[in-house]
Amino acid sequence: MKDLTHPQNAPVVILLGPPGAGKGTQARMLEEKFGLVQLSTGDLLRAAVAAGTEAGRKAKAVMEAGDLVSDDIVLAILTDRLAEPDCATGVVLDGFPRTTGQAEALDKLLSERGQAVTTAISLEVDDVKMVVRITGRFTCGSCGEGYHKDFKPTKVAGICDMCGGTDMKQRADDNAQTVMSRLDAYHAQTAPLLRYYGEQDVLQKIDAMGPIDSVARELSTIARQLTV
Ligand code: ADP
Ligand code: ADP
Ligand code: ZN
C-alpha cells in the first residue's frame, strides 16, 4: 500500500472533457469510492458568485455568457483550495485546467510541492449529444448530488435520493444557447490540453458516451491502480 499521506504519492487526477461529458458526476464517484477530493472550479466560482466576493462579481457575467473566467481569478481560488489540508492525500480536478496558461501554472504549483500531474483522463464524447445532457441537468441544493431528467432521474419526482431534500436547482448557464458558447470555448481553449498532456505522457482517453455506470467502471480501474 502506498503511503498516500506522503505528498509525492498523492494522486493528482485531471478529468478533461467538454461541458456535459460527465466530469462532475465521475469526480464525485472518485471522491466517494477512492477518497480523492473533488476540486471543481465551476463549483468554487458559483460559490464566489453566490457569496458576492470580488472574484464572484467579476466572474458572474462571463459565466452567464458561457465564456471562460480569467486565468488570474481561477488560479487564485484553485490555489487557495488546493492548500487546504484535506487535499494532501489526493485530488481529482474537475473543470480545471481549461487553458494552457492554467495547465502551466498547475505544473509549477505542483512542482513546488514535489508533485506532478499523475494522469489526465479525457472523457471522449460526441458534442452534439451534450446539449441534451446539459439542458436536462439538475442538482440537489442541499447535498449537491447531480441528476438528469432522463438519464439519472430521482427515484421519487422532486426528492433527492441521497438526502431527501426537495430544493432542486438548475444552473443559469445550462440553456441551449449558452451551451454552444461553452462548447466553442472548450474547442478553442481547452482541447489543446490533450496535446499538452499527451506530450507529458500522462494522457488517457476513455469513451464516455456509454451509461454513467460503465464510464464509472472504466475510471475505477484506472483509479484503483493509483491508490494502491
Ligand atoms: P460535466 O461536469 O462534464 O459538465 P456532468 O457530470 O454534470 O458533466 O453531467 C452532465 C449531465 O449529464 C448530468 O445531468 C448527468 O447526470 C448526466 N450524465 C453524466 N454522465 C452521463 C452519461 N454517461 N450518460 C448519460 N448522462 C450522463
Ligand atoms: P461544465 O463543465 O458543465 O461546463 P463548470 O461548472 O465546470 O461547467 O463551469 C461553469 C463555468 O464556470 C464555465 O463555463 C466557465 O465560465 C467557468 N469556469 C469553470 N472552471 C473554469 C476554469 N478552469 N477556467 C475558466 N473558467 C472556468
Ligand atoms: Zn440531496
Side-chain angles (χ1 to χ4, degrees):
M1 196 80 179
K2 266 184 206 161
D3 177 9
L4 293 180
T5 59
H6 196 280
Q8 271 91 344
N9 289 336
V12 177
V13 176
I14 295 171
L15 295 184
L16 291 169
K23 302 179 299 295
T25 304
Q26 300 299 345
R28 207 169 161 90
M29 180 283 294
L30 292 171
E31 174 165 284
E32 277 164 21
K33 219 166 141 182
F34 298 97
L36 298 172
V37 172
Q38 174 187 10
L39 295 189
S40 158
T41 43
D43 286 347
L44 292 169
L45 287 166
R46 279 184 289 278
V49 171
T53 64
E54 196 193 334
R57 282 197 300 276
K58 286 184 185 154
K60 189 169 187 282
V62 179
M63 292 171 77
E64 278 168 7
D67 295 327
L68 293 186
V69 174
S70 74
D71 285 357
D72 288 357
I73 292 179
V74 174
L75 283 165
I77 58 168
L78 193 271
T79 306
D80 284 353
R81 181 64 187 93
L82 203 55
E84 286 175 29
D86 63 324
C87 294
T89 51
V91 292
V92 51
L93 299 173
D94 151 18
F96 179 91
R98 256 173 154 105
T99 64
T100 307
Q102 290 177 17
E104 287 167 352
L106 175 66
D107 282 345
K108 187 160 169 281
L109 196 69
L110 291 173
S111 78
E112 285 162 5
R113 300 153 44 127
Q115 287 181 280
V117 170
T118 315
T119 182
I121 306 169
S122 167
L123 304 180
E124 303 274 307
V125 290
D126 177 355
D127 264 30
V128 179
K129 306 254 166 72
M130 294 306 102
V131 179
V132 179
R133 281 201 193 172
I134 286 173
T135 52
R137 165 162 66 187
F138 62 96
T139 306
C140 170
S142 308
C143 75
E145 184 66 8
Y147 293 97
H148 189 281
K149 77 178 173 52
D150 301 316
F151 308 136
K152 189 188 166 188
T154 53
K155 290 196 181 89
V156 180
I159 300 178
C160 176
D161 297 354
M162 294 295 166
C163 76
T166 55
D167 176 27
M168 295 299 174
K169 300 228 184 280
Q170 212 190 355
R171 276 166 48 180
D173 60 341
D174 275 353
N175 57 74
Q177 200 192 347
T178 308
V179 172
M180 299 319 284
S181 311
R182 287 159 59 198
L183 286 168
D184 287 348
Y186 174 80
H187 289 292
Q189 291 169 273
T190 310
L193 295 183
L194 297 179
R195 180 154 184 198
Y196 182 89
Y197 289 115
E199 284 169 358
Q200 287 191 10
D201 223 12
V202 292
L203 181 70
Q204 309 192 59
K205 293 184 179 182
I206 69 167
D207 178 2
M209 279 314 292
I212 293 175
D213 287 355
S214 51
V215 178
R217 268 194 299 279
E218 244 186 283
L219 280 171
S220 297
T221 305
I222 296 174
R224 215 167 281 125
Q225 288 159 4
L226 304 176
T227 50
V228 289

